[in-house]
Amino acid sequence: MSLHHFLFSFLLLTFSAASTSVATKTPVSSPKEQTLNTQDAQYFNPKLPPRVLSTSKKFEGSSNLVDLRYHMGPVLSSAPINIYLIWYGRWSAPQKQLIKDFITSISPSAAPSPSVSEWWKTVSLYTDQTGANVSRSLVIAKEHTDTRYSHGTHLTRLSIQEVIATAVKSAPFPVDHRNGIYLILTSHDVTVQDFCRAVCGFHYFTFPSMVGYTLPYAWIGNSGKQCPEVCAYPFAVPGYMGGGGPGALSPPNGDVGLDGMISVIAHELAELSTNPLVNAWYAGEDPTAPTEIGDLCEGLYGTGGGGGYIGQVMRDRKGRTYNVNGNNGRKFMVQWVWSPVLKACAGPNALD
């Protein structure tokens, strides 16, 4: 999403068909879930409590009331889309590898279905005014690590742009106007303006006065130590629930903060690719607060979501929850996105 958000929450409207709503781990024996067994995994649809914060743009299932329109701006159609990764703060090698495995899974791969690359197919349905589709191919072009916290351990929206400027001016990164995404990931000990209170991540573009160029970028923070019940939901639950409600879902890679972060990264990459300069695909009349393709499906992970259910997702034999497969045997849990063809939220793990 753009300038002001990854807003989280619960729906204001309810429509029939598949829908939204975030999840938390419900024990296998709980009556508050719907289950379907297959040979390799158990599909289940847990019913969960609401998040701590609730202001949402989500729509359950499909609706003719969703006026997602094209505003004649560019999409990221050149292949490949180059991801320039900025690791801000201290990141371990396994943490970096997990996130990179997700990003590299977006391009067409041999990962079993339902896969991350199949999830991205919905994103690639969006076109620009020439009919060119969002690219199916993403690569990690370069990486830059800032373990010295060169702009401090608290970042504002403007100082995030200064982090990008430092990376560009010190020449680890080229200036890539055409098909570059500058992705800033902050470690668990970095606080960011509005993080946990109003956003889990956001995307926008840099100001020439700050960076020297107009470059699409996204920021996402690791909420594992700061607000997992907000930004890593459904892998953490609100503290007010104590022991009286459903537990958190088990993260597919065993890291609540990073597994939660990956769905936010997916959300932001999908929206940035279809609305990089905030003048392409969005609903609403205000380009500074657009409703984008991830916003419309926030909290929906599978068929049959809505009314407190997150949709049919999978649980492996170790109890880990996921809805897509990635490279190197990885499993991930990522939210669905709005399909311009179906006029509904869509994902590769759909059962209908």
Side-chain angles (χ1 to χ4, degrees):
M1 58 189 70
S2 65
L3 180 61
H4 76 299
H5 37 307
F6 189 83
L7 294 174
F8 16 86
S9 61
F10 268 67
L11 314 158
L12 301 179
L13 296 176
T14 301
F15 297 98
S16 60
S19 73
T20 73
S21 177
V22 188
T24 7
K25 165 179 154 193
T26 306
V28 177
S29 60
S30 170
K32 293 186 176 180
E33 64 180 41
Q34 302 166 348
T35 61
L36 173 65
N37 292 317
T38 66
Q39 185 176 2
D40 300 318
Q42 180 189 56
Y43 278 85
F44 76 123
N45 188 359
K47 185 174 176 116
L48 304 158
R51 288 178 185 245
V52 174
L53 304 180
S54 63
T55 47
S56 183
K57 299 177 177 182
K58 295 181 299 180
F59 289 81
E60 294 194 350
S62 60
S63 172
N64 293 328
L65 299 179
V66 176
D67 186 22
L68 186 73
R69 289 183 292 141
Y70 177 56
H71 296 80
M72 305 306 290
V75 301
L76 296 184
S77 58
S78 297
I81 297 172
N82 292 319
I83 305 292
Y84 299 96
L85 267 173
I86 299 176
W87 304 98
Y88 192 85
R90 292 186 175 89
W91 292 86
S92 69
Q95 286 178 322
K96 288 183 175 181
Q97 192 59 53
L98 174 58
I99 290 174
K100 289 194 289 186
D101 280 348
F102 171 72
I103 293 172
T104 57
S105 295
I106 291 174
S107 296
S109 73
S113 183
S115 68
V116 176
S117 61
E118 290 171 338
W119 170 83
W120 189 261
K121 277 184 180 179
T122 300
V123 180
S124 71
L125 294 173
Y126 289 87
T127 62
D128 64 15
Q129 57 186 310
T130 70
N133 293 77
V134 169
S135 174
R136 289 284 318 276
S137 176
L138 282 80
V139 298
I140 297 173
K142 277 200 169 184
E143 299 176 59
H144 174 60
T145 301
D146 188 341
T147 57
R148 298 186 302 157
Y149 304 85
S150 61
H151 295 273
T153 57
H154 176 74
L155 300 178
T156 65
R157 293 180 184 276
L158 288 181
S159 62
I160 284 174
Q161 295 202 24
E162 291 173 352
V163 171
I164 300 171
T166 297
V168 171
K169 291 173 183 176
S170 60
F173 288 166
V175 174
D176 191 346
H177 298 281
R178 184 172 176 81
N179 56 342
I181 289 177
Y182 296 78
L183 184 60
I184 303 93
L185 304 177
T186 51
S187 57
H188 67 85
D189 53 347
V190 177
T191 59
V192 176
Q193 179 184 356
D194 294 329
F195 187 30
C196 296
R197 184 185 66 81
V199 300
C200 299
F202 63 82
H203 77 85
Y204 205 55
F205 51 83
T206 60
F207 304 141
S209 60
M210 296 290 295
V211 181
Y213 310 93
T214 300
L215 304 171
Y217 75 92
W219 159 79
I220 299 95
N222 182 348
S223 68
K225 297 291 179 66
Q226 297 183 50
C227 59
E229 73 282 359
V230 176
C231 293
Y233 198 89
F235 303 126
V237 297
Y240 70 82
M241 293 190 59
L249 292 173
S250 180
N253 299 287
D255 189 317
V256 168
L258 259 65
D259 278 307
M261 195 177 182
I262 282 168
S263 190
V264 186
I265 291 172
H267 179 120
E268 299 301 339
L269 289 179
E271 293 186 341
L272 200 157
S273 298
T274 55
N275 196 28
L277 300 180
V278 200
N279 61 357
W281 288 95
Y282 65 88
E285 299 303 321
D286 183 1
T288 66
T291 299
E292 300 173 280
I293 70 169
D295 302 330
L296 291 166
C297 305
E298 193 177 317
L300 174 63
Y301 298 88
T303 301
Y309 291 92
I310 68 167
Q312 293 281 350
V313 295
M314 291 169 281
R315 180 166 51 202
D316 67 16
R317 293 176 182 176
K318 295 183 179 180
R320 297 171 298 192
T321 307
Y322 66 102
N323 65 351
V324 287
N325 296 290
N327 294 341
N328 299 323
R330 297 283 197 185
K331 301 180 190 305
F332 302 104
M333 181 91 147
V334 298
Q335 68 152 92
W336 283 11
V337 292
W338 189 262
S339 167
V341 174
L342 298 176
K343 309 295 186 195
C345 298
N349 58 312
L351 297 177
D352 52 14

